[in-house]
Amino acid sequence: MAVTNLTGIRDPKTYEELFCSPEITQEVQKQLISLIVVNILQSIIAFLGNTLILVALRKESVLHSPSKILFRCLATTDLCVGLISEPLIVVYWMSLVNERFDICRYAQVSIFVTGHLLCSVSLLTLTAIGVDRLIALLLGLRYRQVVTIKRTYSTVCAFWAVSFAGATMFFWKYEASLLYAAIGTIACLVILIVSYTKIFLTLRHHQSSVQNRFFHDKTNSTAPLNIARYKKAVYNALWLQLALVVCYLPYGIVVVVMTKTGLSSSLYIARQVALTLIMLNSSLNPVLYCLKIREVRQAVKITIRQLCCLGQNLSSSSSIIPLRVSAQ
């Protein structure tokens, strides 16, 4: 079993050659074929599921508009994963199986750049969702004045710009792109931990208070309902973030092990399985939207009914036309 040292990789060409090496990949052909089938299915599910979520979010009117923009951004990145990243991974694996190493190198670079871009935007968006929940708690009634649609769109555009800059660092220096990603990931995790710690401590502190100073209404008893709705929104966002951690953590562990021990065929296939798990997150998020957010679930049901009715109408129309022609 060949073992290749990963330390000191500075040139992108070295990176391309490393993961397109026949010495590393020739022993895992059967495993790659299995992963190809799995990722084709995941790609279809991610594309259809997130398309349905985007249509449903457009119809849903209960969610606050800035929050809806963040969920749309997350669904868009997941849609792009199913439409771009997963097909590129399939092309990469097929080039290895068919020993087309010229195609393999181009596919590998494309996977790194698009994956870095989309994963960074997803992580930044999930961090923004957590911070958004904290701001809603701290500002109360002033939240809608401070968190506006314009500011949210500007934040999302900044996420894409920063992520694109980090992804294109690959062409300059491979180590710099990894360092950039590591610093960004750690920063996002710290912000999320601080935000949710502050949220749960604040909620716990005010749990016994009916007139919560963040959500109070002195004229009626609507405060407990607002707090209950807020808690639900927090837990919904937390489920999405936990799903991302579960799907991304194995890849981080494999990369650390590879850096310490070098690349072997067994670690190579472990890396590919971890990549598949990352891609699974894009197929899993639409399911979590439907399970955890009632308004989205209802909008999805309405969209599916409309699509079914449209399909029935089209089929009935196509059956009526030949009858008219024959009658003439």
Side-chain angles (χ1 to χ4, degrees):
M1 181 181 294
V3 178
T4 306
N5 188 13
L6 291 178
T7 58
I9 296 178
R10 302 175 184 273
D11 188 358
K13 292 182 179 180
T14 305
Y15 173 84
E16 298 165 28
E17 294 171 357
L18 180 64
F19 290 98
C20 293
S21 170
E23 291 80 10
I24 296 296
T25 60
Q26 65 183 356
E27 301 178 14
V28 292
Q29 301 291 321
K30 294 181 179 179
Q31 294 90 329
L32 290 178
I33 293 174
S34 300
L35 289 174
I36 288 171
V37 175
V38 171
N39 277 265
I40 289 174
L41 294 176
Q42 285 186 181
S43 176
I44 296 171
I45 294 172
F47 175 74
L48 295 178
N50 287 286
T51 300
L52 191 60
I53 292 297
L54 286 172
V55 174
L57 286 173
R58 186 176 182 181
K59 296 179 179 180
E60 200 280 323
S61 59
V62 177
L63 289 174
H64 185 38
S65 294
S67 299
K68 190 187 296 187
I69 292 171
L70 293 175
F71 281 114
R72 280 180 179 174
C73 180
L74 188 59
T76 301
T77 57
D78 290 334
L79 175 65
C80 291
V81 168
L83 189 63
I84 301 173
S85 293
E86 289 199 270
L88 284 174
I89 291 177
V90 170
V91 170
Y92 166 64
W93 288 333
M94 290 181 66
S95 66
L96 290 175
V97 172
N98 295 305
E99 298 183 352
R100 293 296 305 274
F101 297 107
D102 52 340
I103 298 176
C104 174
R105 294 185 180 92
Y106 289 110
Q108 179 63 27
V109 173
S110 301
I111 290 167
F112 183 90
V113 174
T114 58
H116 193 296
L117 171 64
L118 297 174
C119 291
S120 297
V121 174
S122 294
L123 183 58
L124 289 170
T125 304
L126 283 170
T127 304
I129 291 174
V131 174
D132 176 70
R133 294 300 86 205
L134 177 61
I135 293 174
L137 179 64
L138 297 178
L139 297 182
L141 297 176
R142 292 182 56 242
Y143 167 73
R144 292 179 180 270
Q145 299 174 357
V146 175
V147 182
T148 61
I149 295 177
K150 184 177 180 180
R151 288 175 179 173
T152 307
Y153 272 123
S154 299
T155 302
V156 169
C157 291
F159 289 166
W160 283 93
V162 169
S163 300
F164 180 78
T168 53
M169 276 187 182
F170 171 85
F171 299 104
W172 171 56
K173 193 175 182 181
Y174 173 66
E175 285 183 332
S177 63
L178 290 182
L179 181 61
Y180 187 89
I183 294 174
T185 301
I186 293 172
C188 288
L189 290 177
V190 171
I191 293 172
L192 282 172
I193 292 171
V194 171
S195 298
Y196 280 101
T197 301
K198 177 66 175 177
I199 287 171
F200 287 117
L201 288 176
T202 305
L203 289 175
R204 182 179 179 182
H205 181 265
H206 293 281
Q207 188 173 5
S208 59
S209 176
V210 176
Q211 297 296 330
N212 189 288
R213 70 186 182 91
F214 298 113
F215 297 99
H216 75 283
D217 186 348
K218 296 181 180 180
T219 60
N220 52 47
S221 59
T222 59
L225 294 176
N226 287 335
I227 294 175
R229 180 180 297 176
Y230 174 81
K231 285 183 178 180
K232 186 176 180 180
V234 169
Y235 285 118
N236 291 341
L238 193 57
W239 271 105
L240 292 172
Q241 283 145 6
L242 287 175
L244 182 137
V245 170
V246 170
C247 291
Y248 280 60
L249 185 59
Y251 182 81
I253 294 173
V254 171
V255 169
V256 171
V257 174
M258 285 169 52
T259 304
K260 298 295 183 181
T261 64
L263 181 62
S264 62
S265 295
S266 57
L267 276 177
Y268 173 83
I269 200 64
R271 181 180 183 270
Q272 307 313 307
V273 172
L275 277 174
T276 300
L277 192 57
I278 289 178
M279 300 300 111
L280 176 63
N281 183 249
S282 298
S283 302
L284 189 60
N285 281 341
V287 178
L288 292 176
Y289 292 142
C290 294
L291 290 178
K292 297 299 178 180
I293 306 177
R294 184 185 63 181
E295 295 81 9
V296 174
R297 181 169 63 249
Q298 292 175 345
V300 167
K301 289 179 179 178
I302 294 172
T303 303
I304 293 175
R305 291 195 195 104
Q306 291 175 346
L307 291 174
C308 292
C309 292
L310 179 62
Q312 291 176 355
N313 292 335
L314 290 175
S315 62
S316 60
S317 299
S318 62
S319 61
I320 291 174
I321 292 175
L323 290 176
R324 289 179 177 177
V325 173
S326 60
Q328 291 175 355

